[in-house]
Amino acid sequence: RRREAAAAEEEVEETPQEKKLRLAKQYLEELRQLGEKQGTVLGYSRAWGRVLGSPAHILLFLQVRPPDPASIRVLRGHQLPVTCLVISPDDKFIFSASKDGSLIKCKWEVDSGKRLCVVPGGKKGTEERHMGHASHVLCMAISSDGKYLATGDRNKLIMIWDAATCKRLHIFTGHRDAVSGLSFRKGTHQLYSASHDRCVKVWDVAENAYVETLFGHQDVITGLDSLSRECCVTAGGRDGTVRLWKIPEESQLVFSGHQGSIDCIQLINEEHMVSGADDGSLALWGLTKKKPLALARQAHGEQEAQGLQQPYWISAVAALRSSDLLATGSHSGSVKLWKCGEGFRKLEHLLDIPLVGFVNSLKFSAAGDFLVAGIGQEHRLGRWWRMKEAKNSICIIPLKQKTTVSSPESPGSS
């Protein structure tokens, strides 16, 4: 009874629709386990589509092979550490930014590796006269239609760009400290921003308008993400919490489980998210549970620092949307790939991809056929260590996938 009471306390109230979704997922997980026992793999795409509608929550069970180091493409151009990057929705372009004052933002073509656009920065206070930022860019986001790009900097500014032409369209002001997280709500031009001033702001980019501010974190916010719902998730640094913000209700749900500063976060789908911290832990969360569903401690191992064994910080996380595939970065010498196992209740390490330097940003392509890493000689938020042997660069890592085997179905079946 005590266990049941404790479990009930950790449950977050869910709507009838959310309960229906959870039960449907539970039923499909039981079907999957039954299928595995029988030596078959169910056709998840169709199963999820029937139960949940489209877009479906698809468990891909991707089988990725270690890429040949020679197949990893390195794009050079930033003189200082790359801090953030995004991939265009059609997977054709990469946008990147760095601590460099002269090459603040670059646009790259994925196929050719050519640098198509460079936006130079200026001196602090000259942002209105110059095109670019005048301080370190810490975060960026691109709208799901590929129209708008948003960038945030240490000087409290958010800049909105035309992604096709790299022309600056607007500057949002209002944060009182560094802007550390940005995300467009999928299917809209609503932008969420997070800052070291401990608050989240909502903007309407199409109207160049401020909407509202949300408060709650007790320390600097280090990361933010969102999907289709009118909500976002944030990592709260040393306040030790991850938060889900429900925008219409102006309410928040608080999650705790890490011991150190939570430095990065990303949603996997509308029901699950992943976060990383400087205590080396990687946490997998369900949005109806206040504690992690799975926790990998010292996910990147340990290093010797000042005569002590310290875990490698998790500096970046990425999820291939609506799948079971995750990636984590640190300065441990490799990017690690993970699988969310047992119905998102287990983290299974798949393989390591050697990369030297601080992995400050990770993004999967929408199709899942490549992973992009932003590498720097320093961490994106500070200069605690410097790795001289690292190259400030963007690395494009190909991911070879084996096709999932579907159960045979009669022709014309839906």
Side-chain angles (χ1 to χ4, degrees):
R1 289 182 181 178
R2 286 181 181 176
R3 286 181 182 177
E4 289 175 5
E9 282 181 10
E10 286 194 4
E11 290 284 351
V12 175
E13 287 186 16
E14 55 185 346
T15 65
Q17 184 180 3
E18 288 171 337
K19 184 176 181 181
K20 202 176 290 183
L21 179 65
R22 178 173 58 79
L23 292 174
K25 291 176 72 177
Q26 187 177 324
Y27 173 66
L28 282 175
E29 176 60 20
E30 289 170 2
L31 284 180
R32 180 189 71 78
Q33 291 174 1
L34 179 63
E36 283 186 348
K37 285 178 183 177
Q38 296 173 347
T40 61
V41 180
L42 300 176
Y44 287 97
S45 177
R46 295 183 181 186
W48 278 113
R50 282 198 295 271
V51 176
L52 302 179
S54 185
H57 289 245
I58 304 169
L59 293 180
L60 297 180
F61 289 94
L62 295 176
Q63 299 294 320
V64 291
R65 299 171 185 167
D68 178 356
S71 68
I72 299 175
R73 290 189 290 149
V74 180
L75 310 182
R76 299 291 305 277
H78 291 290
Q79 300 302 309
L80 290 181
V82 176
T83 53
C84 52
L85 57 84
V86 293
I87 306 171
S88 62
D90 59 9
D91 288 347
K92 291 182 178 178
F93 306 102
I94 298 167
F95 296 87
S96 62
S98 79
K99 295 183 178 182
D100 197 318
S102 60
L103 289 176
I104 281 294
K105 185 168 71 68
C106 292
K107 180 179 180 180
W108 311 81
E109 188 175 56
V110 171
D111 286 344
S112 67
K114 289 181 180 177
R115 195 169 64 195
L116 302 178
C117 173
V118 176
V119 179
K123 292 183 179 180
K124 190 173 180 179
T126 65
E127 290 92 348
E128 291 291 348
R129 298 196 300 275
H130 294 275
M131 276 292 289
H133 290 271
S135 61
H136 299 174
V137 180
L138 298 181
C139 53
M140 60 170 51
I142 192 165
S143 58
S144 55
D145 61 1
K147 183 176 181 180
Y148 296 115
L149 183 76
T151 51
D153 70 12
R154 275 204 178 277
N155 199 27
K156 315 169 193 174
L157 300 179
I158 300 169
M159 295 191 182
I160 307 299
W161 310 80
D162 182 313
T165 63
C166 291
K167 179 184 176 183
R168 194 177 71 198
L169 303 175
H170 191 68
I171 299 178
F172 284 128
T173 60
H175 278 297
R176 291 174 286 108
D177 206 335
V179 180
S180 52
L182 289 167
S183 182
F184 280 95
R185 181 185 170 201
K186 191 175 179 182
T188 76
H189 293 141
Q190 188 176 65
L191 178 69
Y192 304 124
S193 64
S195 168
H196 287 184
D197 66 11
R198 307 181 183 187
C199 72
V200 173
K201 290 185 183 289
V202 185
W203 315 84
D204 184 332
V205 170
E207 299 295 329
N208 290 338
Y210 160 77
V211 180
E212 62 180 310
T213 302
L214 305 170
F215 300 94
H217 275 295
Q218 303 302 306
D219 191 31
V220 300
I221 303 176
T222 54
L224 174 148
D225 195 26
S226 68
L227 281 173
S228 300
R229 292 181 182 173
E230 201 169 352
C231 62
C232 62
V233 294
T234 52
R238 296 212 171 275
D239 78 1
T241 68
V242 166
R243 298 188 185 223
L244 168 67
W245 305 81
K246 297 184 176 181
I247 309 300
E249 297 94 332
E250 295 186 15
S251 66
Q252 58 191 282
L253 300 177
V254 182
F255 305 80
S256 58
H258 290 287
Q259 299 300 312
S261 175
I262 308 170
D263 288 347
C264 44
I265 190 167
Q266 191 172 12
L267 284 159
I268 303 169
N269 52 42
E270 299 285 8
E271 305 296 324
H272 300 91
M273 60 184 170
V274 62
S275 60
D278 71 359
D279 64 357
S281 62
L282 174 68
L284 175 61
W285 310 83
L287 298 189
T288 60
K289 292 277 188 180
K290 294 180 181 178
K291 298 293 182 183
L293 299 177
L295 189 69
R297 301 184 189 278
Q298 299 180 4
H300 278 252
E302 289 185 310
Q303 63 177 330
E304 188 172 325
Q306 298 174 342
L308 298 172
Q309 288 296 112
Q310 300 285 344
Y312 281 104
W313 299 3
I314 306 297
S315 52
V317 294
L320 179 54
R321 302 290 197 190
S322 299
S323 84
D324 60 347
L325 187 63
L326 308 176
T328 57
S330 182
H331 60 287
S332 61
S334 67
V335 166
K336 291 181 180 286
L337 296 188
W338 306 78
K339 172 186 166 183
C340 303
E342 295 182 6
F344 288 88
R345 291 185 175 275
K346 190 176 180 182
L347 284 165
E348 300 173 19
H349 176 235
L350 293 175
L351 57 92
D352 290 4
I353 301 166
L355 280 181
V356 178
F358 282 86
V359 180
N360 287 325
S361 187
L362 284 169
K363 291 289 186 297
F364 282 101
S365 63
D369 53 352
F370 64 90
L371 174 69
V372 182
I375 307 295
Q377 293 180 328
E378 302 166 353
H379 191 284
R380 75 179 181 109
L381 295 176
R383 303 190 68 182
W384 298 282
W385 295 283
R386 191 161 188 272
M387 300 181 70
K388 292 181 180 179
E389 66 275 22
K391 307 292 184 186
N392 298 317
S393 58
I394 292 104
C395 295
I396 303 176
I397 304 160
L399 300 175
K400 296 179 180 179
Q401 302 166 209
K402 295 176 184 175
T403 306
T404 300
V405 180
S406 296
S407 58
E409 294 190 3
S410 58
S413 62
S414 61

